[in-house]
């Protein structure tokens, strides 16, 4: 059995450095000290006497398929090397106690699993919802104490909430079910908690990418049983870094802009007698385009064109990654970005002629990278972040020039992580 003192000795001796090298490719240095900090913080809060395990769940970056998931389309995403890490010990109180660094403690009594209306929109709702779903699925669950520290950037489109949900689900699977809950099942549990208990409608992409790891191809034709494929690829092996640039635009007052995209896409699908575009035939759409014009706005037709193109492009990107053709993959990323700008039109809000932060970031990426890299809007759009694949040899120059415009600390270079939600260090390991 390994207590906290033994774990600290093992970490200090470098016993887990190879684990960190594999889990955080290109970013493993400093993880030993980070994990030691979390272990010490757990001991200070919950006591030294515990036998503990350590769990981790990563943030994620959407790579291809911009606004395709809500139409039962395909998405390519990737787990990244920013993650939420938890030091965990079972308790016999039938209570989940999670202290999140910088946010405080949540206590959930597992004898009460029904929805608590006052918890809507809170972390407590997510924890309670995950435990409730484990109960409904006849999976075991129970109390535990955890100290969580996360470096997943909030508000960056990396989905810190999905990482947290996957982390809690992975802990319950590991502590009480011998890890038998599959990554996709854990993702579905997280989605259930967010939809039903937290009160936020969301698809499955974020949780699935966090739970599975690597590049992750997802087909949501059947939302209840998505087809998921993990595609191993490390961009650094091809000489590229994955960067996110915070362009500084505000997400305030953008609800209507985001809502209009699925609404307009569904309006086109309805003309073909279907609910969403993923159920329609692109050939029928183009054959009847003249008939459709005037029945829905032209922007809706353009957004449908984007869906059909990006939905196929995801398959082409996945195929390029499988073949190791990274230059073809980059060309497809550029194509996806151009489609988002020209057809999807989610680069700037239609009602604010002065907001062009993403446009400026994309234009600067294009100037700095030309065709030796790739750039695109990241996530929902209209404000927020831009994604770029940058040659490692140009990374420092690229960062300096982007931050000279958008501010210090706005350009983040990441790596693709090979593992999703996992138990990093188990009870009894030394």
């Amino acid at each position: 059995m390994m207590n906290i003192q033994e774990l600290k000795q093992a970490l200090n001796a470098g016993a887990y450095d190879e684990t960190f090298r594999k889990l955080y490719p290109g970013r493993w240095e400093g993880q030993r000290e980070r994990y030691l900090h979390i272990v010490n913080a757990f001991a200070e809060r919950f006591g030294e006497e515990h036998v503990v395990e350590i769990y981790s769940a990563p943030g994620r970056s959407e790579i291809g398929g911009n606004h395709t998931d809500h139409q039962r389309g395909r998405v390519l995403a990737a787990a990244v090397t920013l993650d939420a890490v938890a030091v965990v010990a079972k308790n016999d109180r039938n209570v989940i106690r999670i202290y999140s660094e910088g946010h405080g403690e949540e206590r959930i009594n597992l004898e009460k699993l029904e929805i608590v209306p006052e918890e809507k929109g809170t972390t407590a709702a997510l924890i309670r919802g995950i435990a409730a779903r484990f109960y409904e699925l006849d999976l075991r669950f129970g109390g535990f104490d955890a100290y969580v520290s996360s470096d997943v950037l909030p508000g960056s489109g990396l989905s810190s909430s999905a990482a947290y949900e996957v982390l809690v689900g992975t802990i319950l699977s590991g502590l009480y079910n011998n890890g038998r809950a599959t990554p996709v099942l854990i993702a579905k549990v997280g989605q259930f908690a967010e939809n039903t208990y937290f009160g936020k409608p969301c698809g499955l992409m974020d949780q699935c990418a966090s739970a599975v790891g690597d590049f992750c191809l997802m087909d949501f034709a059947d939302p209840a049983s998505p087809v998921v494929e993990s595609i191993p690829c490390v961009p650094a092996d091809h000489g590229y870094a994955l960067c996110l640039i915070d362009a500084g635009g505000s997400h305030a007052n953008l609800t209507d802009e985001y809502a209009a995209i699925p609404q307009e896409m569904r309006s086109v699908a309805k003309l073909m007698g279907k609910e969403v575009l993923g159920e329609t035939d692109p050939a029928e759409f183009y054959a009847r385009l003249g008939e459709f014009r005037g029945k829905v706005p032209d922007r809706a037709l353009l957004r449908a064109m984007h869906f059909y193109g990006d939905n196929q492009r995801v398959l082409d990107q996945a195929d390029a990654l499988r073949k190791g053709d990274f230059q073809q993959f980059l060309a497809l990323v550029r194509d996806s970005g151009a489609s988002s700008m020209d057809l999807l039109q989610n680069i700037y809000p239609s009602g604010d002629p002065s907001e062009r932060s993403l446009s400026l970031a994309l234009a600067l990426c294009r100037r700095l990278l030309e065709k030796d890299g790739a750039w695109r809007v990241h996530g929902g759009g209209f404000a927020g972040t831009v994604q770029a694949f940058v040659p490692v040899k140009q990374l420092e120059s690229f960062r300096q020039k982007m931050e000279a415009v958008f501010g210090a600390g706005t350009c983040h270079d990441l790596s693709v992580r090979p593992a999703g939600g996992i138990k990093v260090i188990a009870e009894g390991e030394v």
Side-chain angles (χ1 to χ4, degrees):
M1 305 290 282
M2 181 174 55
N3 61 34
I4 285 176
Q5 288 303 318
E6 291 170 333
L7 175 56
K8 288 194 285 189
Q9 290 170 6
L11 284 166
N12 276 314
Y16 297 103
D17 284 359
E18 187 58 32
T19 297
F20 297 147
R21 284 189 182 93
K22 293 177 180 177
L23 190 59
Y24 304 97
R27 297 178 59 85
W28 77 273
E29 293 181 357
Q31 294 298 333
R32 185 198 303 181
E33 293 76 14
R34 179 183 177 219
Y35 274 63
L36 276 166
H37 161 74
I38 303 170
V39 171
N40 283 324
F42 175 95
E44 183 176 339
R45 186 158 195 91
F46 297 110
E48 292 267 356
E49 70 279 6
H50 296 282
V51 172
V52 296
E53 300 181 344
I54 302 184
Y55 292 79
S56 161
R60 68 98 188 105
S61 181
E62 174 205 287
I63 306 296
N66 197 210
H67 282 280
T68 51
D69 57 327
H70 51 67
Q71 298 298 299
R72 298 185 193 171
R74 307 180 191 100
V75 179
L76 183 68
V80 298
T81 46
L82 298 178
D83 63 344
V85 174
V87 175
V88 182
K90 280 185 178 181
N91 67 44
D92 57 4
R93 301 180 184 88
N94 206 29
V95 171
I96 293 177
R97 297 193 299 173
I98 302 179
Y99 185 88
S100 296
E101 197 167 75
H103 299 282
E105 183 173 284
E106 300 288 352
R107 295 189 179 208
I108 303 300
N109 187 332
L110 296 175
E111 294 179 2
K112 182 179 177 64
L113 294 181
E114 62 268 25
I115 294 171
V116 177
E118 297 77 27
E119 287 181 350
K120 288 276 186 178
T122 70
T123 304
L126 293 176
I127 301 168
R128 196 181 305 277
I130 291 167
R133 190 60 176 157
F134 265 65
Y135 173 77
E136 292 175 1
L137 293 171
D138 289 327
L139 291 167
R140 296 182 62 202
F141 64 97
F144 63 84
D145 299 327
Y147 188 99
V148 176
S149 179
S150 176
D151 61 6
V152 183
L153 303 167
S156 62
L158 292 175
S159 198
S160 55
S161 60
Y164 188 89
E165 294 157 19
V166 169
L167 181 68
V168 175
T170 304
I171 290 170
L172 286 176
S173 177
L175 287 181
Y176 289 100
N177 296 275
N178 295 316
R180 70 183 179 92
T182 67
V184 173
L185 179 59
I186 289 172
K188 289 180 178 179
V189 168
Q191 181 196 25
F192 168 86
E194 189 161 341
N195 290 352
T196 308
Y197 279 67
F198 187 87
K200 179 183 175 182
C202 70
L204 189 59
M205 177 187 72
D206 295 346
Q207 293 88 349
C208 207
S210 175
V212 171
D214 271 322
F215 283 90
C216 183
L217 172 63
M218 295 165 271
D219 188 332
F220 295 109
D222 180 358
S225 300
V227 177
V228 178
E229 178 188 353
S230 178
I231 305 174
C233 177
V234 179
D237 291 346
H238 299 273
Y240 286 86
L242 171 61
C243 290
L244 289 185
I245 302 98
D246 184 354
S250 172
H251 286 89
N253 303 316
L254 292 177
T255 300
D256 290 345
E257 296 280 4
Y258 293 127
I261 294 176
Q263 288 170 359
E264 291 182 8
M265 288 184 176
R266 288 191 182 102
S267 72
V268 176
K270 187 176 180 181
L271 295 175
M272 292 179 277
K274 302 296 183 181
E275 180 184 351
V276 291
L277 288 175
E279 299 174 328
T280 65
D281 181 358
E284 179 186 356
F285 168 80
Y286 284 106
R288 298 177 63 188
L289 184 56
E291 171 194 339
F292 294 159
R293 191 164 187 234
K295 294 181 178 178
V296 295
D298 284 351
R299 189 175 69 171
L301 299 174
L302 290 169
R303 285 174 163 170
M305 289 180 175
H306 164 80
F307 170 83
Y308 293 128
D310 234 28
N311 201 41
Q312 176 59 44
R313 198 173 291 114
V314 165
L315 294 180
D316 297 338
Q317 288 176 318
D319 189 53
L321 289 174
R322 292 189 203 98
K323 293 177 179 176
D325 189 346
F326 207 75
Q327 290 304 312
Q328 175 62 13
F329 166 75
L330 292 176
L332 291 163
V333 173
R334 292 193 295 269
D335 289 346
S336 176
S339 180
S340 291
M341 177 172 282
D342 298 338
L343 302 178
L344 183 59
Q345 300 177 53
N346 69 331
I347 307 303
Y348 50 83
S350 59
D352 185 357
S354 66
E355 171 50 63
R356 295 294 187 272
S357 57
L358 291 185
S359 300
L360 182 61
L362 290 165
L364 186 55
C365 285
R366 182 169 60 249
R367 175 178 173 80
L368 295 176
L369 298 175
E370 295 183 353
K371 297 237 175 179
D372 194 11
W375 53 93
R376 67 191 286 275
V377 63
H378 184 249
F382 301 111
T385 54
V386 164
Q387 178 189 86
F389 285 91
V390 181
V392 172
K393 61 186 178 183
Q394 295 177 223
L395 180 59
E396 193 52 42
S397 172
F398 178 85
R399 189 203 326 270
Q400 290 176 3
K401 291 174 181 177
M402 294 302 294
E403 293 190 351
V405 175
F406 295 101
T410 54
C411 181
H412 309 278
D413 64 287
L414 312 174
S415 296
V416 175
R417 166 169 150 154
I422 61 165
K423 182 190 297 185
V424 182
I425 299 174
E427 178 182 331
E429 284 188 355
V430 177

